[in-house]
Amino acid sequence: MEPVRPEFVPDPDSSREEMEALQRTVADEAIFADEFPFDPATVSMANTLTPTTGDSPIVVGIDQAFLDERAVGAVVALRDGEVIERASAAVDCEFPYIPGLLSFREAGAIVAAVGNLDTQPDLAVFDGSGRIHYREAGLATHLGVVFDLPSIGVAKNLLCGSPQGSLDGRSEGARVAIDADEDVEGTDEIIGYALQTRQYDSGNRHINPVYVSPGHRVGPETAADLVEQLCDGYKLPEPTRLADSHAATAKGEFGERARNDGS
């Protein structure tokens, strides 16, 4: 799969001012509402195929790992909970981690990995933020626009925004809206949800929520619904959980290859 909007591919050699300006342009191009051809009810970890629904959508999980001065992008494609393809790529990466500019550090490896994918995905779930971002253009939004692909961001930590209520000890399935705050440019809307995908039965220990936000062509409520449907007994949705595992495997393989080439 090749970028639909290559002019928006993040360039890590840009100045910070140019990076932030590009993010604002991407946010203007992003659609934070449902605009996809599939029935969201057919996105599941189980087979939902019926004579009336046709083929279930293909969901890809996308994650990254780092190997010395290289970034490793990993993509896992699933249909009805079954893995149908994996792809990966490693590219040079010297751009440091800077909060709010993650796409300039990780996009090169992800674009290369998606380029190695034969499958045409219907939905992408990223390990990272979407609209929950200082300029409404986190990794899931930025690359969702680049590929014009319905996308969702699932982050383990809250980058910005203000929860509408306490997140402590919420029961499984609970969700708390995240409002834009003074750190978010350009909007005062709900930018995502804290979603409690798992919780201990005992009150002595607690599992933190994940932070779900629309990337592109998916609204905030639907994004939370889809992530909940894609969880399969773990805190993280299955597409990104499997992508994380594939990223670790690919990192080891690329590292072994580099050692062999250098020997």
Side-chain angles (χ1 to χ4, degrees):
M1 183 179 186
E2 298 299 321
V4 175
R5 304 292 299 272
E7 70 273 22
F8 291 152
V9 173
D11 180 0
D13 291 327
S14 304
S15 68
R16 180 155 187 162
E17 291 75 17
E18 290 170 332
M19 292 178 183
E20 293 182 356
L22 178 61
Q23 288 179 330
R24 293 185 184 99
T25 301
V26 166
D28 288 341
E29 294 291 324
I31 299 170
F32 300 121
D34 294 350
E35 189 178 287
F36 45 77
F38 56 86
D39 180 354
T42 63
V43 175
S44 171
M45 294 308 299
N47 193 330
T48 56
L49 181 64
T50 71
T52 57
T53 60
D55 288 340
S56 301
I58 295 172
V59 181
V60 293
I62 298 176
D63 202 354
Q64 314 81 33
F66 291 89
L67 176 67
D68 300 324
E69 297 300 323
R70 288 187 292 170
V72 178
V75 186
V76 177
L78 301 96
R79 172 174 270 157
D80 296 327
E82 297 293 327
V83 175
I84 59 174
E85 189 181 0
R86 293 180 174 89
S88 60
V91 302
D92 291 339
C93 174
E94 297 181 358
F95 190 78
Y97 170 71
I98 299 175
L101 296 177
L102 188 66
S103 58
F104 293 87
R105 175 172 168 82
E106 300 186 353
I110 293 172
V111 170
V114 173
N116 290 334
L117 195 70
D118 293 327
T119 302
Q120 183 72 26
D122 299 293
L123 173 69
V125 183
F126 286 81
D127 177 50
S129 293
R131 198 181 187 187
I132 296 180
H133 181 270
Y134 305 123
R135 288 164 291 281
E136 301 182 88
L139 182 67
T141 298
H142 202 139
L143 293 187
V145 170
V146 164
F147 289 105
D148 193 27
L149 178 64
S151 58
I152 299 170
V154 181
K156 303 176 189 71
N157 299 296
L158 185 62
L159 179 64
C160 56
S162 299
Q164 289 186 357
S166 172
L167 305 181
D168 295 337
R170 292 276 181 165
S171 60
E172 189 169 313
R175 61 180 70 174
V176 176
I178 306 295
D179 291 325
D181 59 15
E182 65 276 4
D183 292 326
V184 181
E185 298 179 11
T187 187
D188 57 1
E189 299 178 6
I190 291 173
I191 54 175
Y193 284 90
L195 177 64
Q196 195 72 52
T197 53
R198 284 195 65 209
Q199 190 55 275
Y200 292 118
D201 294 332
S202 168
N204 297 326
R205 296 186 299 167
H206 300 292
I207 297 175
N208 293 327
V210 295
Y211 299 93
V212 179
S213 57
H216 178 51
R217 294 174 57 189
V218 182
E221 294 83 4
T222 302
D225 290 342
L226 291 171
V227 169
E228 190 168 10
Q229 290 164 213
L230 288 167
C231 286
D232 194 28
Y234 297 92
K235 175 178 175 176
L236 296 178
E238 201 68 358
T240 56
R241 192 183 75 83
L242 293 175
D244 174 79
S245 177
H246 182 45
T249 299
K251 174 182 174 179
E253 292 173 349
F254 285 122
E256 181 67 22
R257 192 177 306 165
R259 287 189 291 273
N260 291 338
D261 291 343
S263 59

